Amino acid sequence: MPQAAARSLPRLLPLALAVALLGAALVLVTEGPAAAQAAPRQVTIEGTAANKWEPADATVRPGGTVTFRITGGTTHPVFSGDGSNLAGDKKFDASGCGITQMAKVGDSCQVQFAKAGTFPYFCQVHVTQGMKGVITVGATVAATTTTAAGGAGGSVIEPPGAASAPSAGRPAIYWAGWGLFALGALLALVLIALYVRFSPGFTRPKS
Ligand SMILES: [Cu+2]
């Protein structure tokens, strides 16, 4: 390699690094929407005239609060558990959401969930009509499944792998970003290697 070309190699290095940085920036910018979202601090679940909880399933962060509010129907007392035992399992404290506090439209109550976990709950009056749900306490909201499954009242069981595939929802530009990053990094390495090999005045240790 001519020495003139070798001398120009260091000037190409910033270009290669710029390409790598651009790729990395693209990855960071575009991975946002598909990444897990932070769970909210507060969620409101409505007890409806159809004797359903809306939404039935919700996520709050540890230390967060769930507000149950009656927007329709009559009495919707909240109990902890899946409804198989009408007395509830007392996994969380629903004592402020009993039959006297949750008697009519406009009534509401709050439950604070200190620790992460999964907390089924039900309306003691209408559990046989399916008035139950699950509160998940965690730092992030799991990636949402298709709206079709949600619209069917959660009766569609999705295979666990379907929603958690790493490539789900990634736009093409996200992968283009990775490609640019790899290309830039590779180019920088090649430039450094060529410079070390051919640079005038750089003496290689004699073996
Ligand atoms: Cu009810």
Side-chain angles (χ1 to χ4, degrees), residues 90-114:
K90 298 187 167 56
K91 207 173 158 190
F92 67 84
D93 180 14
S95 57
C97 297
I99 202 154
T100 53
Q101 295 95 337
M102 296 292 281
K104 61 185 185 303
V105 171
D107 285 354
S108 68
C109 67
Q110 290 191 330
V111 176
Q112 193 173 19
F113 292 87

Side-chain angles (χ1 to χ4, degrees), residues 75-76 123 126 131:
T75 312
H76 296 308
C123 167
H126 303 112
M131 191 169 187

Side-chain angles (χ1 to χ4, degrees), residues 22-23 25-27 29-31 170-180:
L22 179 68
L26 273 179
V27 168
V29 166
T30 56
E31 92 180 327
R170 297 286 196 213
I173 196 162
Y174 170 84
W175 301 109
W178 273 114
L180 272 183

Side-chain angles (χ1 to χ4, degrees), residues 141-179:
V141 180
T144 48
T145 50
T146 61
T147 49
S155 58
V156 177
I157 308 296
E158 298 245 319
S164 58
S167 63
R170 297 286 196 213
I173 196 162
Y174 170 84
W175 301 109
W178 273 114

Side-chain angles (χ1 to χ4, degrees), residues 25-105:
L26 273 179
V27 168
L28 288 178
V29 166
T30 56
E31 92 180 327
Q37 294 179 317
R41 195 181 298 278
Q42 210 282 349
V43 166
T44 297
I45 296 174
E46 297 182 347
T48 70
N51 295 330
K52 291 279 182 288
W53 296 112
E54 189 61 46
D57 300 339
T59 301
V60 287
R61 71 181 67 174
T65 302
V66 175
T67 300
F68 297 92
R69 175 172 290 122
I70 300 180
T71 59
T74 55
T75 312
H76 296 308
V78 180
F79 279 67
S80 172
D82 62 7
S84 57
N85 170 10
L86 280 183
D89 62 9
K90 298 187 167 56
K91 207 173 158 190
F92 67 84
D93 180 14
S95 57
C97 297
I99 202 154
T100 53
Q101 295 95 337
M102 296 292 281
K104 61 185 185 303
V105 171

